[in-house]
Amino acid sequence: MWNALIVDDEALARSNLQLALAEHPQWRCVGACASAAEARVALAQREVDLLLLDIQMPRQNGLAFAAELAQQPSSQTPLVVFVTAYDEHALSAFDVFALDYLLKPFDDQRFAAMLGRAEQWLGLQQGAALQAEAMQAFVREQQSRAAGDGLPELPVLSVRSVGRVERIAVAEIEWISAAGNYVELHLAPTASAAARVVLHRSTLAALEERLPRGQFQRVHRTALVRPETFASLAVTGDSTYALSLRSGEVVPVSERFVKEVRARFG
């Protein structure tokens, strides 16, 4: 989900923009400010992806405020879209790197097109950031291996999806299954949440190297399982087996790993 901040000195204009945003579930309005001064405070307090900014405002107009924001590091600056009743500022708007220029009154189709363009830009920015982060992590791992230190264990996984990052404690994971270049994290139910499955960008082999030692057991080339969740082991065919977990889920076991799995049952 993406975050949008509205800045307009007219209450009716703020309400109209809030209603327009509400029609797009992938967007969330995190504030509606009446001035640049209010917006400055809001930006310091929360993460904002898109600024819907009026131009004609008292004290500091939208163009001056956008120019101020453009001087900040790009990682801290939201996309800016001007929403105004005056078309004479369009060229000046792009001088301060505005993504779009929306004339009031706008229709639903024009507003949706603007949000679609913002989502494309934000997706590109997020992809570039993830690539840079992955490269930095790769370099750190190679340096660690070269120094003979091995890879540090991960007690918590940072799972990224569009517009958000969730921190998941490894202790909450019952078992992990391979899904191409991703893994599925099967999480145990908690007092506040039901059991669920979360997709995480990693291969099973790479993640296995980083998990705390002894907490998971390989039972199949596509599965790692926490041993204390084992309930029963059954033969399902010629050299094929099925491991039932206490949660009721069933995980395949290959002949290569069945001996170690049986050992867990005494």
Side-chain angles (χ1 to χ4, degrees):
M1 180 173 285
W2 306 109
N3 292 338
L5 180 69
I6 296 167
V7 187
D8 197 305
D9 62 318
E10 295 182 2
L12 180 59
R14 295 194 298 272
S15 296
N16 287 340
L17 285 170
Q18 287 177 296
L19 290 172
L21 276 172
E23 296 297 317
H24 300 269
Q26 68 274 32
W27 286 91
R28 172 175 52 202
C29 179
V30 295
C33 303
S35 67
E38 288 184 20
R40 196 176 292 107
V41 173
L43 289 170
Q45 294 176 340
R46 68 206 69 172
E47 183 177 337
V48 175
D49 301 299
L50 175 65
L51 196 65
L52 299 176
L53 181 61
D54 188 22
I55 290 182
Q56 299 288 358
M57 296 189 297
R59 297 193 179 181
Q60 185 179 24
N61 67 36
L63 287 171
F65 184 48
E68 175 188 317
L69 294 177
Q71 302 303 312
Q72 299 178 3
S74 58
S75 60
Q76 301 175 12
T77 307
L79 296 177
V80 173
V81 169
F82 286 108
V83 185
T84 178
Y86 305 94
D87 60 2
E88 64 265 28
H89 301 293
L91 292 179
S92 298
F94 295 106
D95 287 339
V96 292
F97 308 106
L99 176 72
D100 206 343
Y101 193 94
L102 211 58
L103 279 175
K104 303 174 186 176
F106 52 82
D107 57 30
D108 293 344
Q109 185 176 3
R110 179 68 179 89
F111 190 79
M114 177 273 293
L115 289 183
R117 188 178 180 196
E119 289 166 17
Q120 288 182 329
W121 273 98
L122 290 167
L124 289 172
Q125 289 178 349
Q126 186 178 64
L130 289 175
Q131 286 182 351
E133 182 178 317
M135 179 58 69
Q136 291 172 358
F138 175 77
V139 170
R140 288 195 299 268
E141 289 179 4
Q142 295 305 307
Q143 291 172 339
S144 179
R145 287 182 175 180
D149 298 333
L151 297 176
E153 295 180 352
L154 292 174
V156 176
L157 302 181
S158 295
V159 178
R160 299 179 181 276
S161 58
V162 176
R164 69 191 292 256
V165 178
E166 180 180 6
R167 289 173 61 80
I168 294 176
V170 170
E172 298 176 11
I173 303 172
E174 288 193 331
W175 67 287
I176 307 168
S177 57
N181 290 326
Y182 291 80
V183 293
E184 293 179 343
L185 308 176
H186 297 256
L187 306 184
T190 66
S192 59
R196 59 194 179 107
V197 179
V198 177
L199 201 62
H200 178 47
R201 177 78 182 199
S202 174
T203 63
L204 192 64
L207 183 58
E208 185 178 18
E209 290 187 30
R210 306 295 300 277
L211 292 172
R213 298 291 180 262
Q215 289 196 18
F216 291 86
Q217 182 170 332
R218 173 79 73 158
V219 301
H220 192 273
R221 63 180 179 82
T222 64
L224 294 167
V225 184
R226 191 177 289 279
E228 56 265 34
T229 67
F230 291 4
S232 64
L233 179 67
V235 179
T236 56
D238 186 17
S239 301
T240 60
Y241 308 85
L243 177 65
S244 296
L245 307 184
R246 292 177 180 174
S247 63
E249 294 192 83
V250 178
V251 182
V253 178
S254 64
E255 187 175 21
R256 177 182 175 187
F257 300 105
V258 71
K259 182 178 179 180
E260 290 84 356
V261 173
R262 278 181 173 148
R264 293 285 183 174
F265 292 94

